Amino acid sequence: MKLYTSSETKKIDRLAIKKKGISAFSLMMKAAEFSFNTILENWPNTTKAIIFCSKGNNTGDGYLLAALLKEAGIQSQIVQITKREGLSPATAKGLRVCKQRKVKTIKFSSFKKMKIEKNTILIDALLGTGLKGNVRKELHQAIEFINKKSKNYPLLSLDIPSGICADSGTELGASILADVTTTFVGRKRGCYTSRGKERAGKVYFNDLLVGKDIFKKVDSSCYILNMEDHLKKINQRNLNTHKGHYGHVLIIGGNTGFGGAAILAAKAAARSGAGLVSLATRPEHMNAALSQCPEIMVKGVNSGQDLEPFLSQPKVLAIGPGLGQDAWSEQLLQRTLWETKNRNIPIVMDADSLNLLPKMNLTSSLPQKIVITPHPGEASKLLKKTVNEIEIDRFKSVKELQKKLKAVVVLKGSGSLVCFNKRGKQMIGVCEAGNPGMASGGMGDILSGLIASFIAQGLDVIQATETAVDIHSKASDLTAMRLGQLGMLASDVLEDVIDLLRH
């Protein structure tokens, strides 16, 4: 499940044409056929299709799709936004096929006055993966108008929603809001994170029979996460076993007024299989923690010195949920970092532990086995950039964080990214699951507890992080189906995590 940049996809195209003798027109035809079948699968009652075209190869796919729809008895109509000049040979051939099928073409000005019939589908074949810079004014206005019309009609984008950067997922001035995107040859990584994830809708992929031998020639360091890859290593336990075989997790956090965050993280670690779970928190939160989960060993700590006796036994530490940023917080963080560095044990850092790192000038003196889980706001402080600069290119941002902190990095958000260094090469896993209902308090605390738990049970820091990120998001999708996005809480998601682990 590799993801590709625009240049990597073009290289696959060129190799397929050169090495296998597949023509550019043949690839276009296969893309059109796949999109045609996707329309029948999703909208079987379609009686009319309106295809928006410009002049690139993406438009060539649109021309051929229009011809296929017409041939199948579905009324099709092309709306030509830009002049037909400088067409590639394959796109020009697609246009000739369209004309042979007598597909009608109208100007955009005519479309704006047109009354759209029921059972009509709108098809975006305007801009593909080669877009450089912001969308031009003419297409910008067209995209905005098409989006307004699409509120009442389904919209399919070909290859990638027009106006979305195929490499980063950022919006280049304006972009199509699709219900479905059919993407070809290589999965475009811009469809899976940032604005692109929202605009692409449901993504359908077809490699157009390019062949595995061609894909092997184009290296990609980006892929879709799959919890099944590593989960099987921990979900089948031996009969002759005891709690000591599944690790000891210590959660550190829960400052005054923020006890719930640390309790959620500890509960997540306990419910996801860790053999033992301890919680170091403010003394006033001890009763609440024990009432929520009596299986947790709760330690009341008033200072870093109070914390020290509890640091020597756990197999993994997680610090940050509800930690705060006062003197108590700083003492606990300093003691924790010293212990993990001295013992060379893994540490998971989230929330205020990340906000404290630049504040305390600790970013250059971190342990070797470290996982950090920043959201864009925390990432902006670590990199000394604005949140907007982080979000413009999430792939670039997560790589910068990984390089700076030498950590396994989870950049949370729409299409969370997991970045790590593997034999000198930065790799990025992209989480395909997740929904807007996760934008609520406590979600990150559950994730921290899951990562720590999976490390304690024997997965390495990369495996544990990838598995936790994926299962957390997939469980959130189940919760949203069960309760709705507005009503779901982090504790509800934990119930669905347990259900996924059970299978």
Side-chain angles (χ1 to χ4, degrees), residues 35 39 43 65 121-124 154-158 178 180-182:
S35 299
I39 290 170
W43 304 287
L65 178 56
I121 181 173
L122 307 181
I123 299 170
D124 161 35
L155 199 158
L156 169 73
S157 279
L158 304 184
V180 169
T181 296
T182 50

Side-chain angles (χ1 to χ4, degrees), residues 57-236:
N57 284 339
N58 196 249
T59 281
D61 298 339
Y63 287 154
L64 290 173
L65 178 56
L68 285 174
L69 290 164
K70 181 72 180 294
E71 194 174 16
I74 296 173
Q75 185 185 354
S76 58
Q77 192 169 48
I78 291 170
V79 179
Q80 190 67 40
I81 308 293
T82 62
K83 293 180 180 179
R84 288 169 173 163
E85 52 187 27
L87 300 182
S88 70
T91 301
K93 189 174 180 180
L95 178 58
R96 289 196 296 273
V97 173
C98 235
K99 289 179 176 178
Q100 289 168 6
R101 299 288 190 279
K102 295 184 167 45
V103 177
K104 185 180 178 183
T105 297
I106 62 171
K107 293 181 179 181
F108 187 63
S109 56
S110 300
F111 167 73
K112 289 199 283 189
K113 301 172 187 175
M114 188 171 70
K115 184 178 180 181
I116 303 176
E117 305 162 12
K118 289 183 179 179
N119 297 324
T120 295
I121 181 173
L122 307 181
I123 299 170
D124 161 35
L126 290 170
L127 300 166
T129 60
L131 181 61
K132 299 287 188 285
N134 282 351
V135 174
R136 298 193 311 276
K137 183 178 179 181
E138 183 181 16
L139 288 171
H140 190 293
Q141 293 173 345
I143 285 170
E144 289 186 336
F145 189 84
I146 292 166
N147 283 339
K148 287 180 182 178
K149 285 288 185 181
S150 71
K151 291 178 181 178
N152 299 312
Y153 303 93
L155 199 158
L156 169 73
S157 279
L158 304 184
D159 212 20
I160 192 166
S162 292
I164 290 295
C165 175
D167 293 353
S168 67
T170 194
E171 183 179 68
L172 299 173
S175 63
I176 288 290
L177 177 58
D179 297 292
V180 169
T181 296
T182 50
T183 195
F184 325 113
V185 181
R187 292 177 178 85
K188 316 304 181 295
R189 67 185 199 178
C191 288
Y192 293 89
T193 194
S194 192
R195 185 76 158 165
K197 181 177 172 66
E198 172 204 14
R199 307 309 264 187
K202 188 173 182 180
V203 179
Y204 289 79
F205 169 71
N206 191 290
D207 65 8
L208 307 186
L209 302 177
V210 166
K212 291 182 180 179
D213 56 328
I214 297 295
F215 283 100
K216 287 179 181 177
K217 295 178 185 295
V218 181
D219 190 29
S220 170
S221 59
C222 192
Y223 55 92
I224 294 174
L225 296 179
N226 182 10
M227 68 181 190
E228 300 295 336
D229 291 343
H230 308 303
L231 194 59
K232 58 188 176 184
K233 295 180 181 179
I234 61 172
N235 66 4
Q236 293 182 347

Side-chain angles (χ1 to χ4, degrees), residues 371-374 398 408-412 416-418 447 451 465 469:
V371 180
I372 66 169
T373 62
V398 79
V408 176
V409 181
V410 181
L411 181 56
K412 295 182 286 195
S416 291
L417 307 179
V418 178
L447 178 60
I451 296 172
T465 304
V469 168

Side-chain angles (χ1 to χ4, degrees), residues 434-447:
N435 64 81
M438 297 174 72
S440 65
M443 292 292 177
D445 306 315
I446 297 290
L447 178 60

Side-chain angles (χ1 to χ4, degrees), residues 50-61:
I50 300 174
I51 303 95
F52 301 95
C53 296
S54 56
K55 59 182 180 179
N57 284 339
N58 196 249
T59 281
D61 298 339

Side-chain angles (χ1 to χ4, degrees), residues 234 237 241-250 266 268-278 295-297 314-316 449 452-458:
I234 61 172
R237 296 186 169 187
T241 190
H242 58 78
K243 62 189 177 186
H245 289 144
Y246 305 110
H248 183 179
V249 174
L250 172 62
R271 295 302 298 267
S272 57
L276 292 167
V277 179
S278 295
E295 296 83 358
I296 297 170
M297 298 175 287
K315 187 176 180 180
V316 57
S453 172
F454 294 153
I455 294 172
Q457 292 175 71

